[in-house]
């Protein structure tokens, strides 16, 4: 819906293409839910949860033919114990799936151990909220993407130069972000994630986790290397809004390439690559002080 952003992403994609493409690496962390119980003896209950691990895992996986428990964590504070379950939900993003599984596990442990179940969503999972834990441990897909831009590409496509990019990146990403205490040191990652999430039928509120990304810009022997680390890209190609007509059409368009990757993995990597394009182009615009001019020229609202 923003003309300046559409043009900017296209410019960033062009720069990446002329640089020979971008390098993307992804890791599936899994979707999480944190079940909270009220307990009197946290050590005893923790031990009993571990003793019953095979049973409650089987109960969780019985709620869906697509869910597989990957791991779990136990955290305690005062008289509250949190059991955070991390699961593979196949090609679905999986929040509904993991919530249903967490409810079944919570009910079982509450009855078996005679401890009150407080909630199946205890905020340790930080769903749709920024947190240091999500940034460090990841959630959904962790994606890393980078490109090296030559001086010729920076000048021809981005209308800037390497020194300007590096100076602007230092001021904005390193110094400005540190002064603000930012959890995500990036230019505008949330813009691109929000747009792609809307277009492909994802849960748009997960842009919160997506915005925890860090962008780094370094001088390279071949030019300037720009890298984005995204710890929490939550996407799926089944369920939710992915079957809506327009959203399904968008998914079909972006997933046309033949690949051995699972479709949801491919989508997560596409999100990462597009984010990089946005970071590249906005950095160039800010390094040349043409951001305001671009919005005046390309904005679709009234002037």
């Amino acid at each position: 819906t923003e003309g300046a952003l559409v043009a900017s992403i296209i410019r960033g994609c062009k720069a990446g293409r002329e640089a020979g493409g971008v390098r993307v690496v992804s890791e599936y962390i899994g979707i999480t839910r944190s079940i909270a119980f009220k307990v009197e003896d946290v050590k005893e209950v923790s031990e009993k949860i571990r003793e019953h691990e095979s049973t409650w895992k089987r109960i969780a996986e019985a709620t869906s033919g697509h869910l597989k428990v990957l791991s779990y964590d136990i955290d305690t504070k005062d008289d509250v114990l949190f059991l955070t379950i991390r699961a593979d939900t196949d090609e679905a993003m999986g929040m509904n799936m993991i919530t249903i599984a967490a409810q079944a596990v919570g009910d079982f442990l509450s009855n078996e151990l005679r401890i009150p179940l407080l909630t199946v969503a205890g905020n340790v999972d930080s769903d749709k909220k920024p947190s240091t834990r999500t940034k460090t441990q990841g959630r959904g897909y962790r994606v890393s993407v980078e490109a090296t831009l030559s001086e010729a590409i920076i000048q021809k496509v981005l209308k800037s130069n390497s020194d300007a990019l590096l100076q602007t990146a230092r001021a904005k990403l390193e110094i400005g972000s540190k002064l603000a205490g930012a959890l995500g040191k990036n230019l505008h990652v949330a813009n691109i994630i929000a747009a792609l999430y809307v277009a492909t039928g994802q849960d748009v509120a997960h842009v919160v986790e997506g915005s925890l990304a860090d962008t780094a810009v370094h001088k390279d022997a071949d030019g300037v290397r720009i890298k984005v680390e995204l710890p929490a890209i939550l996407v799926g190609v089944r369920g939710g809004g992915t079957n809506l007509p327009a959203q399904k059409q968008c998914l079909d368009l972006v997933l046309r390439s033949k690949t051995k990757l699972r479709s949801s993995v491919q989508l997560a990597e596409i999100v990462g690559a597009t984010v990089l394009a946005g970071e590249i182009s906005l950095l160039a615009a800010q390094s040349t002080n043409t951001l305001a001019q671009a919005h005046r020229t390309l904005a679709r609202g009234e002037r």
Side-chain angles (χ1 to χ4, degrees), residues 221-257:
D222 298 319
V224 172
R225 180 166 59 90
I226 302 178
K227 183 175 184 178
V228 186
E229 299 276 1
L230 301 115
I233 297 298
L234 286 88
V235 293
V237 297
R238 301 282 183 271
T242 60
N243 288 322
L244 294 171
Q247 280 71 17
K248 186 178 185 305
Q249 184 179 30
C250 282
L251 279 172
D252 290 343
L253 283 171
V254 299
L255 298 176
R256 284 188 303 174
S257 300

Side-chain angles (χ1 to χ4, degrees), residues 119-149:
T119 176
V120 296
N123 265 15
V124 177
D125 53 38
S126 305
D127 185 50
K128 302 177 178 72
K129 290 167 281 292
S131 76
T132 301
R133 179 168 296 208
T134 297
K135 185 174 178 62
T136 56
Q137 295 187 6
R139 193 163 189 254
Y141 289 93
R142 182 188 297 279
V143 179
S144 175
V145 56
E146 65 179 80
T148 300
L149 308 178

Side-chain angles (χ1 to χ4, degrees), residues 6-36:
V6 174
S8 184
I9 301 306
I10 291 172
R11 181 171 75 159
C13 287
K14 181 178 180 180
R17 186 193 68 226
E18 295 202 4
V22 302
R23 295 171 291 282
V24 187
V25 177
S26 63
E27 176 190 4
Y28 185 60
I29 305 297
I31 196 67
T32 55
R33 260 302 183 215
S34 297
I35 313 166

Side-chain angles (χ1 to χ4, degrees), residues 58-79:
R58 186 168 61 250
I59 289 171
E61 292 173 359
T63 61
S64 172
H66 299 281
L67 183 141
K68 176 70 175 177
V69 176
L70 298 173
S71 61
Y72 68 94
D73 295 307
I74 295 176
D75 294 275
T76 59
K77 178 68 176 178
D78 299 328
D79 60 347

Side-chain angles (χ1 to χ4, degrees), residues 1-302:
T1 58
E2 291 193 46
L5 284 175
V6 174
S8 184
I9 301 306
I10 291 172
R11 181 171 75 159
C13 287
K14 181 178 180 180
R17 186 193 68 226
E18 295 202 4
V22 302
R23 295 171 291 282
V24 187
V25 177
S26 63
E27 176 190 4
Y28 185 60
I29 305 297
I31 196 67
T32 55
R33 260 302 183 215
S34 297
I35 313 166
F37 302 95
K38 182 177 174 59
V39 299
E40 292 183 3
D41 189 329
V42 295
K43 183 178 180 181
E44 179 185 2
V45 173
S46 298
E47 291 175 352
K48 288 184 176 179
I49 288 175
R50 292 187 178 95
E51 289 174 6
H52 288 81
E53 177 183 337
S54 60
T55 302
W56 62 254
K57 279 186 176 181
R58 186 168 61 250
I59 289 171
E61 292 173 359
T63 61
S64 172
H66 299 281
L67 183 141
K68 176 70 175 177
V69 176
L70 298 173
S71 61
Y72 68 94
D73 295 307
I74 295 176
D75 294 275
T76 59
K77 178 68 176 178
D78 299 328
D79 60 347
V80 180
L81 180 147
F82 298 91
L83 171 63
T84 301
I85 301 174
R86 187 174 293 103
D88 184 339
T89 51
D90 201 5
E91 290 196 330
M93 183 271 287
M95 276 312 306
N96 291 338
M97 202 184 299
I98 189 70
T99 300
I100 292 169
Q103 185 69 57
V105 171
D107 289 340
F108 166 73
L109 291 175
S110 178
N111 292 329
E112 184 71 21
L113 306 183
R114 297 183 180 182
I115 52 176
L117 170 61
L118 300 176
T119 176
V120 296
N123 265 15
V124 177
D125 53 38
S126 305
D127 185 50
K128 302 177 178 72
K129 290 167 281 292
S131 76
T132 301
R133 179 168 296 208
T134 297
K135 185 174 178 62
T136 56
Q137 295 187 6
R139 193 163 189 254
Y141 289 93
R142 182 188 297 279
V143 179
S144 175
V145 56
E146 65 179 80
T148 300
L149 308 178
S150 67
E151 189 67 40
I153 292 173
I154 295 171
Q155 293 183 13
K156 176 186 173 185
V157 180
L158 302 176
K159 312 303 181 186
S160 184
N161 61 75
S162 59
D163 287 342
L165 292 186
L166 291 164
Q167 289 178 29
T168 300
R170 176 175 177 270
K172 182 181 180 72
L173 299 174
E174 296 178 28
I175 300 175
S177 296
K178 185 175 182 179
L179 286 172
L183 281 176
K185 299 177 181 179
N186 61 77
L187 287 105
H188 68 149
V189 166
N191 266 328
I192 291 82
I193 293 178
L196 285 174
Y197 279 13
V198 170
T200 60
Q202 311 303 314
D203 187 334
V204 186
H206 283 135
V207 70
V208 175
E209 289 100 317
S211 69
L212 296 173
D214 289 332
T215 298
V217 183
H218 300 287
K219 182 68 177 175
D220 188 275
D222 298 319
V224 172
R225 180 166 59 90
I226 302 178
K227 183 175 184 178
V228 186
E229 299 276 1
L230 301 115
I233 297 298
L234 286 88
V235 293
V237 297
R238 301 282 183 271
T242 60
N243 288 322
L244 294 171
Q247 280 71 17
K248 186 178 185 305
Q249 184 179 30
C250 282
L251 279 172
D252 290 343
L253 283 171
V254 299
L255 298 176
R256 284 188 303 174
S257 300
K258 291 183 179 180
T259 175
K260 294 180 180 179
L261 295 176
R262 191 161 75 178
S263 294
S264 52
V265 178
Q266 187 181 3
L267 180 58
E269 293 194 356
I270 287 171
V271 171
T274 313
V275 162
L276 177 63
E279 296 290 272
I280 288 171
S281 189
L282 180 56
L283 178 61
Q286 292 192 354
S287 73
T288 55
N289 290 310
T290 53
L291 178 61
Q293 176 188 330
H295 279 282
R296 279 197 301 268
T297 304
L298 301 169
R300 289 174 174 167
E302 293 183 4

